[in-house]
Amino acid sequence: MTGASGGIGLMTTELLASQGYEVVATVRPSSDMTQIKALSEKYATLTIEHFDVLDALYYPKILKDLEDRHNGFDIIVMNAGVLYGGLIEKMTSAQIMTTVQTNLSACIAITSTLVEGMKERGQGKLIFISSLAASRPLPYLSVYNASKAGLEGLAKSLYLELAPSYIDVYLVEPGFYQTDLWRHEADCQDQETQKVKKLAYFMTKPRDVKEVTFQILKICEGKSRRFHHTFGHYAKFQCLCKPFIYTKCGKTLYKYLLRRIK
Ligand SMILES: NC(=O)c1ccc[n+]([C@@H]2O[C@H](COP(=O)([O-])OP(=O)(O)OC[C@H]3O[C@@H](n4cnc5c(N)ncnc54)[C@H](OP(=O)(O)O)[C@@H]3O)[C@@H](O)[C@H]2O)c1
């Protein structure tokens, strides 16, 4: 599990450990370890390792050593992610780079380093934590959306590419959950961003993280074998609206709603 210090990663780690899975919870050295440490004291099957997913891009040996120490991984949950919101011209290049590298490039690097071991063992599961935003993009989250859309492209190709090696690929698309993911997004205080933000919040509603963690457990148990995992009626509604949004009418309606927001 990457990014296990909080949010979806932490809750899924707890659920899996409580079900007897041997979980290697990876956290970057700078992460707040309080919650994950408390869990490791509770569950003997839980091990914590330091791993910054960005290291996978430049130092694959760190990941290889991790794999060797644990005799390989049967399931990899690529969960670590960051989100910076804002109008694209207001984003710094550091924010853009971090978003794309954490949410997409690191997942490519982790997969390319660890997939060999899975192939040798003739089995494995890759679970990519994407976002509903990848296929139903929201304004003012363009770079985040782009990174997750890239992740979906990766997962779709690997789904086929790895099928002959008995490695299963899954795409989990959470909607909106109130976790620490949104902490940087509070930084964008300009009026234009605030208006778009209000509209974006109107278009989506926070849900219970547990639905995501239980779905990941079902995938691990082999009880859910489908590729795509979305949540709730709202996701279906957004999916239905998608063709309309990208029409002239959709654009006009969007601009009208934006003008009405104070
Ligand atoms: N919450 C939502 O509404 C939502 C919706 C759709 C998709 N998702 C996706 O779900 C995943 C988990 O997000 P979350 O909501 O649980 O947010 P979160 O609480 O902020 O968790 C993100 C985790 O990723 C870790 N992380 C960030 N950069 C890292 C790096 N370079 N190396 C290692 N770990 C790193 C964070 O560690 P630190 O504690 O050190 O920052 C944290 O543990 C993300 O991929 C996110 O895009 C979330």
Side-chain angles (χ1 to χ4, degrees), residues 141-214:
L141 292 176
S142 57
V143 178
Y144 176 79
N145 293 341
S147 68
K148 293 294 188 181
L151 187 65
E152 304 227 336
L154 174 75
K156 282 177 186 161
S157 288
L158 292 176
Y159 177 81
L160 299 173
E161 184 177 316
L162 299 175
S165 309
Y166 302 98
I167 298 169
D168 298 322
V169 177
Y170 301 91
L171 199 51
V172 177
E173 292 183 330
F176 175 27
Y177 305 88
Q178 268 161 343
T179 63
D180 274 359
L181 186 75
W182 299 90
R183 63 186 179 271
H184 300 300
E185 172 255 16
D187 305 343
C188 321
Q189 292 301 343
D190 63 281
Q191 205 195 357
E192 213 179 346
T193 308
Q194 291 302 322
K195 276 176 112 184
V196 185
K197 220 155 102 174
K198 274 189 191 162
L199 185 59
Y201 281 159
F202 170 73
M203 289 161 70
T204 189
K205 298 274 175 287
R207 296 177 61 86
D208 186 349
V209 180
K210 276 191 189 141
E211 66 182 3
V212 181
T213 60
F214 277 102

Side-chain angles (χ1 to χ4, degrees), residues 38-94:
L39 282 189
S40 74
E41 281 159 20
K42 195 166 160 195
Y43 300 104
T45 53
L46 174 55
T47 315
I48 307 172
E49 291 276 8
H50 277 152
F51 174 56
D52 184 323
V53 295
L54 299 180
D55 283 345
L57 292 166
Y58 308 105
Y59 315 104
K61 189 162 181 319
I62 295 180
L63 198 52
K64 272 275 171 213
D65 290 347
L66 202 65
E67 186 187 27
D68 292 344
R69 270 207 301 285
H70 294 279
N71 299 318
F73 301 115
D74 297 321
I75 304 171
I76 303 166
V77 185
M78 276 168 267
N79 164 76
V82 291
L83 178 150
Y84 292 96
L87 302 174
I88 194 156
E89 70 275 20
K90 302 258 163 78
M91 289 186 72
T92 64
S93 40

